[in-house]
Amino acid sequence: MMRLFAKSEQGAAMVEMTIVAPLLFALTLGFVDFGYALYQWNGATKAVQVGARLASISDPVVSKTTLANAAPSDVPGAPVPADAYLFICQYTGNTGACKDKNGTSTNFDTNASNAFSRIFRGDTAVTNDDACPALTGTQRPGMCHFFPGLLRTNIVITYSATGLGFQTRLNGPVPTITVELQNRTFQFFFLSGLMGFGNINMPSMLSTVTGEDLKTSAPS
């Protein structure tokens, strides 16, 4: 009897499946999770591209007067030197501010908040939060529509001098605008829940364009 039991192969397939199934499921769900990570990467890339485009044709987040006075004006018509000015605008919590190259920080006024809001949420209603309202009609999307879950604190908008424009130009200097995403992680669901796989920090990504008219009415 024992000899027959030792030679019996009944149930072998079930045992093998029990051993292989966890690995198979982990691989399958891993592919799903990493596919979603690629989707997040593409969404973030598109978001910074859209944000840079909106920033280039919209009112600047930094005050127009501040930006215009940042460039030298001692030699009218002369090129604006590179690195003549730099403004870094971002939110910390619910407070937005622009910092110049000397480290002086100026909190957002209403115009700055509205300008940042337009870059963040497009042509939808202006609100002082991280909400991303649904688009209606012909409203243009903002960054949040391409990257769900995006927060204002993840966005850094930089206006810098790179040698474009000339001193005492009527509409002010021509800044180079950079929109950057930072402090985001790739979100994992299956791997995180089943295997304790931690979220991975997403590399900072950015898009840089040349400022155009810097006014809301500029054509798209």
Side-chain angles (χ1 to χ4, degrees), residues 52-119:
R53 175 58 182 163
L54 286 174
S56 71
I57 61 173
S58 304
D59 290 332
V61 178
V62 63
S63 165
K64 279 187 175 181
T65 301
T66 300
L67 185 61
N69 293 334
S73 57
D74 52 325
V75 185
V80 175
D83 302 324
Y85 57 85
L86 174 69
F87 298 97
I88 302 174
C89 303
Q90 62 187 126
Y91 270 91
T92 302
N94 290 321
T95 302
C98 290
K99 182 183 298 184
D100 63 22
K101 67 176 185 177
N102 297 319
T104 302
S105 183
T106 303
N107 287 345
F108 287 179
D109 57 15
T110 301
N111 292 331
S113 296
N114 292 346
F116 196 102
S117 176
R118 185 166 185 270
I119 296 168

Side-chain angles (χ1 to χ4, degrees), residues 58-189:
S58 304
D59 290 332
V61 178
V62 63
S63 165
K64 279 187 175 181
T65 301
T66 300
L67 185 61
N69 293 334
S73 57
D74 52 325
V75 185
V80 175
D83 302 324
Y85 57 85
L86 174 69
F87 298 97
I88 302 174
C89 303
Q90 62 187 126
Y91 270 91
T92 302
N94 290 321
T95 302
C98 290
K99 182 183 298 184
D100 63 22
K101 67 176 185 177
N102 297 319
T104 302
S105 183
T106 303
N107 287 345
F108 287 179
D109 57 15
T110 301
N111 292 331
S113 296
N114 292 346
F116 196 102
S117 176
R118 185 166 185 270
I119 296 168
F120 177 70
R121 56 177 60 87
D123 293 334
T124 60
V126 174
T127 56
N128 190 30
D129 53 33
D130 292 314
C132 190
L135 298 170
T136 59
T138 58
Q139 290 180 327
R140 285 185 289 193
M143 297 179 67
C144 66
H145 294 102
F146 292 92
F147 193 9
L150 186 66
L151 304 176
R152 293 177 301 171
T153 52
N154 299 138
I155 301 172
V156 180
I157 304 173
T158 303
Y159 300 84
S160 60
T162 56
L164 300 175
F166 54 89
Q167 296 185 36
T168 66
R169 178 175 177 268
L170 180 61
N171 292 321
V174 180
T176 294
I177 305 172
T178 298
V179 175
E180 178 183 3
L181 285 188
Q182 62 180 17
N183 300 325
R184 293 294 301 185
T185 60
F186 290 110
Q187 302 296 313
F188 296 101
F189 297 100

Side-chain angles (χ1 to χ4, degrees), residues 46 49-59 118 122-123 138-142 209-210 212-220:
K46 185 61 178 179
Q49 292 173 349
V50 168
R53 175 58 182 163
L54 286 174
S56 71
I57 61 173
S58 304
D59 290 332
R118 185 166 185 270
D123 293 334
T138 58
Q139 290 180 327
R140 285 185 289 193
V209 296
T210 299
E212 296 183 10
D213 287 336
L214 291 178
K215 57 183 180 181
T216 305
S217 59
S220 59

Side-chain angles (χ1 to χ4, degrees), residues 5 8-23:
F5 178 78
S8 176
E9 295 184 359
Q10 294 181 1
M14 182 178 295
V15 174
E16 293 171 354
M17 185 60 186
T18 302
I19 296 173
V20 173
L23 177 60

